[in-house]
Amino acid sequence: MTLPDTAVDPADADRTFQVDLRGLVDLLSHHLYSSPRVYLRELMQNAVDALTARHSLEPAAPGDAFGIRLYADGSVVRVEDDGVGLTEADVHTFLATIGRSSKRAERIAEQRADFIGQFGIGLLSCFLVADEIHVLSRSARTPDAPAVEWRGRGDGSYTVRTLPPSARPRPGTTVTLTPRADVGEWTRPAQVHALARHFGSLLRHPVTFDDGTGGPGASINPEPAPWSRTFPTPGARSRALAAYGEEVFRFTPLDTIELDLPAVGLKGIACVLPETVPPGRRHGHRVHVKGMLLSEQAEEILPEWAFFVRCIVDAESLRPTASRESLYEDDTLAAVREALAERLREWIARAAASDPDLLARFLQAHHLAVKSLAVHDDEILRMLLPWLPFETTDGHTTLDEFARTHRTVLVTSSVEEFRQVAAIASAAGLGVVNGGYTYDRELVHRLPEIRPEASVADLDPATLTAHLDPVDRETELAAAGYLALARDALAVFDCDVALRTFQPASAPALLVDSREARHERTRSQLAREQEGGLWGDILGALRQEAPRAQLILNQLNPLVRTAVAIDEPELARTSAEALYGQAAMLSRRPLRPAESSLINRSFLDLLAHALRKDS
């Protein structure tokens, strides 16, 4: 059976995308690359990959047999390598086709770990600084291969021609750029030299720079990375690593941790910052891939809690993203992150076991980082919890020392709660820890896991008031009238008033109130205001017995003894309001508008009373 011929509608024919090269370069400059300076990194990167392929072709060649030479004199920028080079077919295939990579075409995807570049678009970055790219190459794969010249222009056009081998006597590739006038800041000789040092100081192939003045070329990478060198003693090695960290980061490390993960070919150092890092602030790390600088701000290489170090690493198996300015998030990166985190834990463990002075200096600067780690790491918790500093009624001290003094450790749920009770609790002999800071309350409650003899409990108002001494019966009866007026005056704040004796005598009053109690009272008040509506029914269903605040007056304080003897009702009410306001301010919690108004009114009323009395 023969099928009839079917005519193809021209509208249905396959078509080829048309690429606006100028628009593509603009896209790269604004969305892929962070700065035009990456052009030099891309050229050096292509040269390194070409050298890697050349060594695969000639494995017996010495490691320094092939190199990279940079030239910049203000009018041109040139990058020359002794790499594998290109044939005429390669030039047509790879330089004139955007997005295609010679590595893929040669099935080198199976050996991708040998190469830095993966995306075949690096040469386009040169159009960020030049309108024309000139490439002269000769392949090392074919004896007596001709040289090939390719000229690409920013308008999307290009020319290719073959030249005799004498046009390039040795295999390799030379890329020459004639910079535009508006990008001189990136192509001046001094800047090209600085960029080459910045990106290529750890490259394994020799790289030199010539500024066209006739002098000898300067070596870009005269020495290998310090962790790749040998030293006469461990101390000399440690000093060299610390000096390198100080040179790169511009601070003297508290200590230097050597990093070595053979499974992924990663080596480097972590420099412990000598000063406290603000919570939540993360420093970027300097990551090289096969010697080429990838990023100075790679946060993803370490977990969030490790913000007390800055790293310099060089890796073989980490994958760069398309821009080659950050790392691709994959299983390998996740494994590296966890392995580096384990190295930091090991360093902390060694310091705890063998260097108490270093540990003390480290904890003084970075206790918050260690607390965040201890919350999730039982091993660190066991090692370091007793040594961590906390704010307590005995001042800033370690939890271990505090637990020796106080059989029962009480912990507050907020900073304001601690500040309300600290002075009185200390005078009463209570041991209270400020649990209001990040991680502190959770860590204090885990103390019995490390010290089974220690007892930890949350501080509540009943615990504190139970340690305040009652006044004698006669004194309480004499003050009953004043206390009744005070309760009436403060009823609007759901506040009870009591008379006790406690130290220090200089404290006239203590306001015992918790954040949870205030929230419950606020909810109850909203329920009353919304009574009868849907929202009121919801709040009413959630309503509990609203706990009351308590203003405890100190009978030992001369001002209080004078106040409870006032026989003028209005003055008594005003003095109670003033004592409440003063206690609320001393608690350092945010004041409600009604409380601020009360403080102002009671002050003015007392002032008016004093002026009337004087007159």
Side-chain angles (χ1 to χ4, degrees), residues 498-528:
L499 186 64
R500 297 286 189 274
T501 62
F502 54 86
Q503 295 292 339
S506 58
L510 169 66
L511 181 60
V512 179
D513 196 12
S514 67
R515 180 180 299 175
E516 292 76 11
R518 292 198 302 276
H519 287 175
E520 181 58 36
R521 292 198 300 273
T522 300
R523 185 166 56 189
S524 298
Q525 181 180 355
L526 286 174
R528 289 193 299 269

PDB file of all heavy atoms in Angstrom, residues 498-528:
ATOM      1  N   ALA A 498       0.512  44.265  97.439  1.00  0.00           N
ATOM      2  CA  ALA A 498       0.843  43.577  98.694  1.00  0.00           C
ATOM      3  C   ALA A 498       2.003  44.301  99.356  1.00  0.00           C
ATOM      4  O   ALA A 498       2.775  45.024  98.700  1.00  0.00           O
ATOM      5  CB  ALA A 498       1.197  42.121  98.422  1.00  0.00           C
ATOM      6  N   LEU A 499       2.142  44.094 100.645  1.00  0.00           N
ATOM      7  CA  LEU A 499       3.226  44.712 101.420  1.00  0.00           C
ATOM      8  C   LEU A 499       4.123  43.601 101.961  1.00  0.00           C
ATOM      9  O   LEU A 499       3.653  42.675 102.618  1.00  0.00           O
ATOM     10  CB  LEU A 499       2.645  45.532 102.576  1.00  0.00           C
ATOM     11  CG  LEU A 499       3.631  46.365 103.397  1.00  0.00           C
ATOM     12  CD1 LEU A 499       4.261  47.458 102.525  1.00  0.00           C
ATOM     13  CD2 LEU A 499       2.925  46.983 104.599  1.00  0.00           C
ATOM     14  N   ARG A 500       5.413  43.677 101.650  1.00  0.00           N
ATOM     15  CA  ARG A 500       6.378  42.683 102.105  1.00  0.00           C
ATOM     16  C   ARG A 500       7.661  43.406 102.510  1.00  0.00           C
ATOM     17  O   ARG A 500       7.795  44.630 102.334  1.00  0.00           O
ATOM     18  CB  ARG A 500       6.711  41.691 100.983  1.00  0.00           C
ATOM     19  CG  ARG A 500       5.533  40.859 100.520  1.00  0.00           C
ATOM     20  CD  ARG A 500       5.174  39.776 101.526  1.00  0.00           C
ATOM     21  NE  ARG A 500       4.191  38.865 100.968  1.00  0.00           N
ATOM     22  CZ  ARG A 500       2.890  39.053 101.010  1.00  0.00           C
ATOM     23  NH1 ARG A 500       2.405  40.146 101.578  1.00  0.00           N
ATOM     24  NH2 ARG A 500       2.052  38.180 100.488  1.00  0.00           N
ATOM     25  N   THR A 501       8.602  42.631 103.034  1.00  0.00           N
ATOM     26  CA  THR A 501       9.948  43.165 103.296  1.00  0.00           C
ATOM     27  C   THR A 501      10.946  42.364 102.483  1.00  0.00           C
ATOM     28  O   THR A 501      10.877  41.133 102.435  1.00  0.00           O
ATOM     29  CB  THR A 501      10.308  43.067 104.787  1.00  0.00           C
ATOM     30  OG1 THR A 501      10.327  41.708 105.182  1.00  0.00           O
ATOM     31  CG2 THR A 501       9.316  43.835 105.641  1.00  0.00           C
ATOM     32  N   PHE A 502      11.842  43.065 101.814  1.00  0.00           N
ATOM     33  CA  PHE A 502      12.866  42.365 101.023  1.00  0.00           C
ATOM     34  C   PHE A 502      14.043  43.308 100.791  1.00  0.00           C
ATOM     35  O   PHE A 502      13.939  44.538 100.948  1.00  0.00           O
ATOM     36  CB  PHE A 502      12.303  41.860  99.689  1.00  0.00           C
ATOM     37  CG  PHE A 502      11.633  42.912  98.837  1.00  0.00           C
ATOM     38  CD1 PHE A 502      12.357  43.712  97.962  1.00  0.00           C
ATOM     39  CD2 PHE A 502      10.254  43.104  98.905  1.00  0.00           C
ATOM     40  CE1 PHE A 502      11.732  44.669  97.178  1.00  0.00           C
ATOM     41  CE2 PHE A 502       9.612  44.053  98.119  1.00  0.00           C
ATOM     42  CZ  PHE A 502      10.357  44.842  97.252  1.00  0.00           C
ATOM     43  N   GLN A 503      15.145  42.691 100.442  1.00  0.00           N
ATOM     44  CA  GLN A 503      16.344  43.447 100.097  1.00  0.00           C
ATOM     45  C   GLN A 503      16.451  43.537  98.569  1.00  0.00           C
ATOM     46  O   GLN A 503      15.959  42.672  97.847  1.00  0.00           O
ATOM     47  CB  GLN A 503      17.593  42.747 100.670  1.00  0.00           C
ATOM     48  CG  GLN A 503      17.651  42.708 102.193  1.00  0.00           C
ATOM     49  CD  GLN A 503      17.848  44.098 102.786  1.00  0.00           C
ATOM     50  OE1 GLN A 503      18.320  45.030 102.120  1.00  0.00           O
ATOM     51  NE2 GLN A 503      17.472  44.237 104.061  1.00  0.00           N
ATOM     52  N   PRO A 504      17.081  44.584  98.074  1.00  0.00           N
ATOM     53  CA  PRO A 504      17.679  45.708  98.801  1.00  0.00           C
ATOM     54  C   PRO A 504      16.618  46.704  99.269  1.00  0.00           C
ATOM     55  O   PRO A 504      15.607  46.908  98.586  1.00  0.00           O
ATOM     56  CB  PRO A 504      18.592  46.339  97.751  1.00  0.00           C
ATOM     57  CG  PRO A 504      17.938  46.035  96.443  1.00  0.00           C
ATOM     58  CD  PRO A 504      17.306  44.683  96.603  1.00  0.00           C
ATOM     59  N   ALA A 505      16.880  47.314 100.395  1.00  0.00           N
ATOM     60  CA  ALA A 505      15.935  48.271 100.967  1.00  0.00           C
ATOM     61  C   ALA A 505      15.761  49.498 100.083  1.00  0.00           C
ATOM     62  O   ALA A 505      14.769  50.218 100.198  1.00  0.00           O
ATOM     63  CB  ALA A 505      16.400  48.681 102.362  1.00  0.00           C
ATOM     64  N   SER A 506      16.709  49.740  99.186  1.00  0.00           N
ATOM     65  CA  SER A 506      16.610  50.913  98.302  1.00  0.00           C
ATOM     66  C   SER A 506      15.523  50.736  97.247  1.00  0.00           C
ATOM     67  O   SER A 506      15.118  51.706  96.600  1.00  0.00           O
ATOM     68  CB  SER A 506      17.953  51.158  97.612  1.00  0.00           C
ATOM     69  OG  SER A 506      18.341  50.018  96.867  1.00  0.00           O
ATOM     70  N   ALA A 507      15.042  49.488  97.033  1.00  0.00           N
ATOM     71  CA  ALA A 507      13.987  49.253  96.043  1.00  0.00           C
ATOM     72  C   ALA A 507      12.633  49.467  96.695  1.00  0.00           C
ATOM     73  O   ALA A 507      12.236  48.701  97.577  1.00  0.00           O
ATOM     74  CB  ALA A 507      14.089  47.834  95.499  1.00  0.00           C
ATOM     75  N   PRO A 508      11.861  50.481  96.298  1.00  0.00           N
ATOM     76  CA  PRO A 508      10.568  50.746  96.953  1.00  0.00           C
ATOM     77  C   PRO A 508       9.493  49.733  96.580  1.00  0.00           C
ATOM     78  O   PRO A 508       8.607  49.443  97.372  1.00  0.00           O
ATOM     79  CB  PRO A 508      10.198  52.143  96.472  1.00  0.00           C
ATOM     80  CG  PRO A 508      10.935  52.313  95.188  1.00  0.00           C
ATOM     81  CD  PRO A 508      12.200  51.524  95.312  1.00  0.00           C
ATOM     82  N   ALA A 509       9.563  49.185  95.349  1.00  0.00           N
ATOM     83  CA  ALA A 509       8.486  48.300  94.913  1.00  0.00           C
ATOM     84  C   ALA A 509       8.989  47.362  93.830  1.00  0.00           C
ATOM     85  O   ALA A 509       9.942  47.659  93.110  1.00  0.00           O
ATOM     86  CB  ALA A 509       7.299  49.114  94.402  1.00  0.00           C
ATOM     87  N   LEU A 510       8.325  46.241  93.710  1.00  0.00           N
ATOM     88  CA  LEU A 510       8.629  45.244  92.693  1.00  0.00           C
ATOM     89  C   LEU A 510       7.335  44.917  91.962  1.00  0.00           C
ATOM     90  O   LEU A 510       6.329  44.578  92.589  1.00  0.00           O
ATOM     91  CB  LEU A 510       9.200  43.978  93.343  1.00  0.00           C
ATOM     92  CG  LEU A 510       9.333  42.748  92.442  1.00  0.00           C
ATOM     93  CD1 LEU A 510      10.371  42.992  91.350  1.00  0.00           C
ATOM     94  CD2 LEU A 510       9.712  41.523  93.274  1.00  0.00           C
ATOM     95  N   LEU A 511       7.347  45.021  90.639  1.00  0.00           N
ATOM     96  CA  LEU A 511       6.184  44.669  89.831  1.00  0.00           C
ATOM     97  C   LEU A 511       6.403  43.266  89.285  1.00  0.00           C
ATOM     98  O   LEU A 511       7.292  43.041  88.458  1.00  0.00           O
ATOM     99  CB  LEU A 511       5.992  45.667  88.683  1.00  0.00           C
ATOM    100  CG  LEU A 511       4.782  45.417  87.777  1.00  0.00           C
ATOM    101  CD1 LEU A 511       3.486  45.458  88.579  1.00  0.00           C
ATOM    102  CD2 LEU A 511       4.744  46.428  86.636  1.00  0.00           C
ATOM    103  N   VAL A 512       5.620  42.326  89.768  1.00  0.00           N
ATOM    104  CA  VAL A 512       5.736  40.937  89.333  1.00  0.00           C
ATOM    105  C   VAL A 512       4.664  40.701  88.288  1.00  0.00           C
ATOM    106  O   VAL A 512       3.469  40.700  88.587  1.00  0.00           O
ATOM    107  CB  VAL A 512       5.566  39.960  90.524  1.00  0.00           C
ATOM    108  CG1 VAL A 512       5.673  38.521  90.038  1.00  0.00           C
ATOM    109  CG2 VAL A 512       6.610  40.250  91.589  1.00  0.00           C
ATOM    110  N   ASP A 513       5.130  40.490  87.065  1.00  0.00           N
ATOM    111  CA  ASP A 513       4.197  40.323  85.952  1.00  0.00           C
ATOM    112  C   ASP A 513       4.938  39.595  84.838  1.00  0.00           C
ATOM    113  O   ASP A 513       6.119  39.860  84.593  1.00  0.00           O
ATOM    114  CB  ASP A 513       3.710  41.687  85.464  1.00  0.00           C
ATOM    115  CG  ASP A 513       2.482  41.603  84.584  1.00  0.00           C
ATOM    116  OD1 ASP A 513       1.877  40.511  84.539  1.00  0.00           O
ATOM    117  OD2 ASP A 513       2.126  42.619  83.962  1.00  0.00           O
ATOM    118  N   SER A 514       4.284  38.693  84.164  1.00  0.00           N
ATOM    119  CA  SER A 514       4.919  37.954  83.079  1.00  0.00           C
ATOM    120  C   SER A 514       4.306  38.356  81.753  1.00  0.00           C
ATOM    121  O   SER A 514       3.173  38.867  81.690  1.00  0.00           O
ATOM    122  CB  SER A 514       4.752  36.439  83.288  1.00  0.00           C
ATOM    123  OG  SER A 514       3.394  36.068  83.173  1.00  0.00           O
ATOM    124  N   ARG A 515       5.038  38.087  80.678  1.00  0.00           N
ATOM    125  CA  ARG A 515       4.535  38.416  79.349  1.00  0.00           C
ATOM    126  C   ARG A 515       3.280  37.610  79.042  1.00  0.00           C
ATOM    127  O   ARG A 515       2.319  38.124  78.465  1.00  0.00           O
ATOM    128  CB  ARG A 515       5.622  38.093  78.314  1.00  0.00           C
ATOM    129  CG  ARG A 515       5.228  38.400  76.876  1.00  0.00           C
ATOM    130  CD  ARG A 515       6.336  38.062  75.911  1.00  0.00           C
ATOM    131  NE  ARG A 515       7.531  38.837  76.193  1.00  0.00           N
ATOM    132  CZ  ARG A 515       8.688  38.665  75.546  1.00  0.00           C
ATOM    133  NH1 ARG A 515       8.790  37.742  74.621  1.00  0.00           N
ATOM    134  NH2 ARG A 515       9.738  39.410  75.847  1.00  0.00           N
ATOM    135  N   GLU A 516       3.278  36.321  79.442  1.00  0.00           N
ATOM    136  CA  GLU A 516       2.107  35.490  79.192  1.00  0.00           C
ATOM    137  C   GLU A 516       0.874  36.029  79.917  1.00  0.00           C
ATOM    138  O   GLU A 516      -0.240  36.032  79.375  1.00  0.00           O
ATOM    139  CB  GLU A 516       2.392  34.047  79.644  1.00  0.00           C
ATOM    140  CG  GLU A 516       3.433  33.315  78.801  1.00  0.00           C
ATOM    141  CD  GLU A 516       4.854  33.764  79.119  1.00  0.00           C
ATOM    142  OE1 GLU A 516       5.032  34.476  80.129  1.00  0.00           O
ATOM    143  OE2 GLU A 516       5.771  33.422  78.340  1.00  0.00           O
ATOM    144  N   ALA A 517       1.078  36.505  81.165  1.00  0.00           N
ATOM    145  CA  ALA A 517      -0.049  37.064  81.912  1.00  0.00           C
ATOM    146  C   ALA A 517      -0.588  38.321  81.234  1.00  0.00           C
ATOM    147  O   ALA A 517      -1.809  38.525  81.141  1.00  0.00           O
ATOM    148  CB  ALA A 517       0.382  37.385  83.343  1.00  0.00           C
ATOM    149  N   ARG A 518       0.291  39.173  80.742  1.00  0.00           N
ATOM    150  CA  ARG A 518      -0.160  40.387  80.062  1.00  0.00           C
ATOM    151  C   ARG A 518      -0.934  40.040  78.790  1.00  0.00           C
ATOM    152  O   ARG A 518      -1.939  40.675  78.464  1.00  0.00           O
ATOM    153  CB  ARG A 518       1.037  41.293  79.737  1.00  0.00           C
ATOM    154  CG  ARG A 518       1.694  41.888  80.975  1.00  0.00           C
ATOM    155  CD  ARG A 518       2.557  43.086  80.618  1.00  0.00           C
ATOM    156  NE  ARG A 518       3.594  42.757  79.656  1.00  0.00           N
ATOM    157  CZ  ARG A 518       4.777  42.237  79.965  1.00  0.00           C
ATOM    158  NH1 ARG A 518       5.050  41.955  81.238  1.00  0.00           N
ATOM    159  NH2 ARG A 518       5.672  41.994  79.049  1.00  0.00           N
ATOM    160  N   HIS A 519      -0.441  39.038  78.051  1.00  0.00           N
ATOM    161  CA  HIS A 519      -1.143  38.638  76.834  1.00  0.00           C
ATOM    162  C   HIS A 519      -2.538  38.106  77.170  1.00  0.00           C
ATOM    163  O   HIS A 519      -3.509  38.398  76.469  1.00  0.00           O
ATOM    164  CB  HIS A 519      -0.340  37.563  76.098  1.00  0.00           C
ATOM    165  CG  HIS A 519       0.876  38.105  75.424  1.00  0.00           C
ATOM    166  ND1 HIS A 519       1.806  37.314  74.784  1.00  0.00           N
ATOM    167  CD2 HIS A 519       1.337  39.376  75.281  1.00  0.00           C
ATOM    168  CE1 HIS A 519       2.767  38.067  74.286  1.00  0.00           C
ATOM    169  NE2 HIS A 519       2.505  39.321  74.576  1.00  0.00           N
ATOM    170  N   GLU A 520      -2.633  37.313  78.233  1.00  0.00           N
ATOM    171  CA  GLU A 520      -3.926  36.759  78.619  1.00  0.00           C
ATOM    172  C   GLU A 520      -4.886  37.861  79.042  1.00  0.00           C
ATOM    173  O   GLU A 520      -6.079  37.845  78.702  1.00  0.00           O
ATOM    174  CB  GLU A 520      -3.743  35.748  79.746  1.00  0.00           C
ATOM    175  CG  GLU A 520      -5.030  35.100  80.209  1.00  0.00           C
ATOM    176  CD  GLU A 520      -5.765  34.389  79.087  1.00  0.00           C
ATOM    177  OE1 GLU A 520      -5.082  33.806  78.208  1.00  0.00           O
ATOM    178  OE2 GLU A 520      -7.004  34.436  79.060  1.00  0.00           O
ATOM    179  N   ARG A 521      -4.402  38.864  79.785  1.00  0.00           N
ATOM    180  CA  ARG A 521      -5.270  39.956  80.194  1.00  0.00           C
ATOM    181  C   ARG A 521      -5.733  40.772  78.998  1.00  0.00           C
ATOM    182  O   ARG A 521      -6.875  41.229  78.928  1.00  0.00           O
ATOM    183  CB  ARG A 521      -4.544  40.850  81.215  1.00  0.00           C
ATOM    184  CG  ARG A 521      -4.301  40.177  82.552  1.00  0.00           C
ATOM    185  CD  ARG A 521      -3.992  41.203  83.627  1.00  0.00           C
ATOM    186  NE  ARG A 521      -2.810  41.994  83.319  1.00  0.00           N
ATOM    187  CZ  ARG A 521      -1.559  41.634  83.633  1.00  0.00           C
ATOM    188  NH1 ARG A 521      -1.338  40.471  84.246  1.00  0.00           N
ATOM    189  NH2 ARG A 521      -0.546  42.404  83.353  1.00  0.00           N
ATOM    190  N   THR A 522      -4.815  40.968  78.013  1.00  0.00           N
ATOM    191  CA  THR A 522      -5.181  41.707  76.808  1.00  0.00           C
ATOM    192  C   THR A 522      -6.264  40.963  76.045  1.00  0.00           C
ATOM    193  O   THR A 522      -7.234  41.556  75.552  1.00  0.00           O
ATOM    194  CB  THR A 522      -3.949  41.911  75.907  1.00  0.00           C
ATOM    195  OG1 THR A 522      -2.962  42.644  76.628  1.00  0.00           O
ATOM    196  CG2 THR A 522      -4.320  42.657  74.639  1.00  0.00           C
ATOM    197  N   ARG A 523      -6.120  39.642  75.951  1.00  0.00           N
ATOM    198  CA  ARG A 523      -7.120  38.843  75.254  1.00  0.00           C
ATOM    199  C   ARG A 523      -8.467  38.897  75.979  1.00  0.00           C
ATOM    200  O   ARG A 523      -9.531  38.998  75.346  1.00  0.00           O
ATOM    201  CB  ARG A 523      -6.629  37.395  75.148  1.00  0.00           C
ATOM    202  CG  ARG A 523      -7.558  36.517  74.328  1.00  0.00           C
ATOM    203  CD  ARG A 523      -6.898  35.217  73.955  1.00  0.00           C
ATOM    204  NE  ARG A 523      -6.435  34.494  75.127  1.00  0.00           N
ATOM    205  CZ  ARG A 523      -5.667  33.399  75.059  1.00  0.00           C
ATOM    206  NH1 ARG A 523      -5.278  32.955  73.892  1.00  0.00           N
ATOM    207  NH2 ARG A 523      -5.302  32.773  76.162  1.00  0.00           N
ATOM    208  N   SER A 524      -8.445  38.836  77.293  1.00  0.00           N
ATOM    209  CA  SER A 524      -9.686  38.913  78.062  1.00  0.00           C
ATOM    210  C   SER A 524     -10.366  40.256  77.860  1.00  0.00           C
ATOM    211  O   SER A 524     -11.592  40.352  77.736  1.00  0.00           O
ATOM    212  CB  SER A 524      -9.392  38.675  79.541  1.00  0.00           C
ATOM    213  OG  SER A 524      -8.863  37.392  79.756  1.00  0.00           O
ATOM    214  N   GLN A 525      -9.564  41.328  77.822  1.00  0.00           N
ATOM    215  CA  GLN A 525     -10.132  42.658  77.619  1.00  0.00           C
ATOM    216  C   GLN A 525     -10.770  42.766  76.238  1.00  0.00           C
ATOM    217  O   GLN A 525     -11.866  43.320  76.083  1.00  0.00           O
ATOM    218  CB  GLN A 525      -9.052  43.718  77.779  1.00  0.00           C
ATOM    219  CG  GLN A 525      -9.570  45.145  77.615  1.00  0.00           C
ATOM    220  CD  GLN A 525      -8.457  46.175  77.780  1.00  0.00           C
ATOM    221  OE1 GLN A 525      -7.324  45.833  78.108  1.00  0.00           O
ATOM    222  NE2 GLN A 525      -8.783  47.423  77.556  1.00  0.00           N
ATOM    223  N   LEU A 526     -10.099  42.219  75.205  1.00  0.00           N
ATOM    224  CA  LEU A 526     -10.673  42.244  73.865  1.00  0.00           C
ATOM    225  C   LEU A 526     -11.974  41.453  73.808  1.00  0.00           C
ATOM    226  O   LEU A 526     -12.933  41.854  73.131  1.00  0.00           O
ATOM    227  CB  LEU A 526      -9.659  41.669  72.853  1.00  0.00           C
ATOM    228  CG  LEU A 526      -8.484  42.560  72.506  1.00  0.00           C
ATOM    229  CD1 LEU A 526      -7.495  41.798  71.626  1.00  0.00           C
ATOM    230  CD2 LEU A 526      -8.956  43.821  71.788  1.00  0.00           C
ATOM    231  N   ALA A 527     -12.005  40.325  74.532  1.00  0.00           N
ATOM    232  CA  ALA A 527     -13.228  39.522  74.547  1.00  0.00           C
ATOM    233  C   ALA A 527     -14.376  40.302  75.159  1.00  0.00           C
ATOM    234  O   ALA A 527     -15.521  40.231  74.692  1.00  0.00           O
ATOM    235  CB  ALA A 527     -12.986  38.226  75.320  1.00  0.00           C
ATOM    236  N   ARG A 528     -14.094  41.065  76.217  1.00  0.00           N
ATOM    237  CA  ARG A 528     -15.152  41.866  76.855  1.00  0.00           C
ATOM    238  C   ARG A 528     -15.632  42.962  75.919  1.00  0.00           C
ATOM    239  O   ARG A 528     -16.829  43.252  75.831  1.00  0.00           O
ATOM    240  CB  ARG A 528     -14.630  42.475  78.169  1.00  0.00           C
ATOM    241  CG  ARG A 528     -14.420  41.447  79.282  1.00  0.00           C
ATOM    242  CD  ARG A 528     -14.211  42.141  80.623  1.00  0.00           C
ATOM    243  NE  ARG A 528     -13.029  42.998  80.634  1.00  0.00           N
ATOM    244  CZ  ARG A 528     -11.815  42.584  81.004  1.00  0.00           C
ATOM    245  NH1 ARG A 528     -11.622  41.314  81.379  1.00  0.00           N
ATOM    246  NH2 ARG A 528     -10.796  43.416  81.009  1.00  0.00           N
TER     247      ARG A 528
END
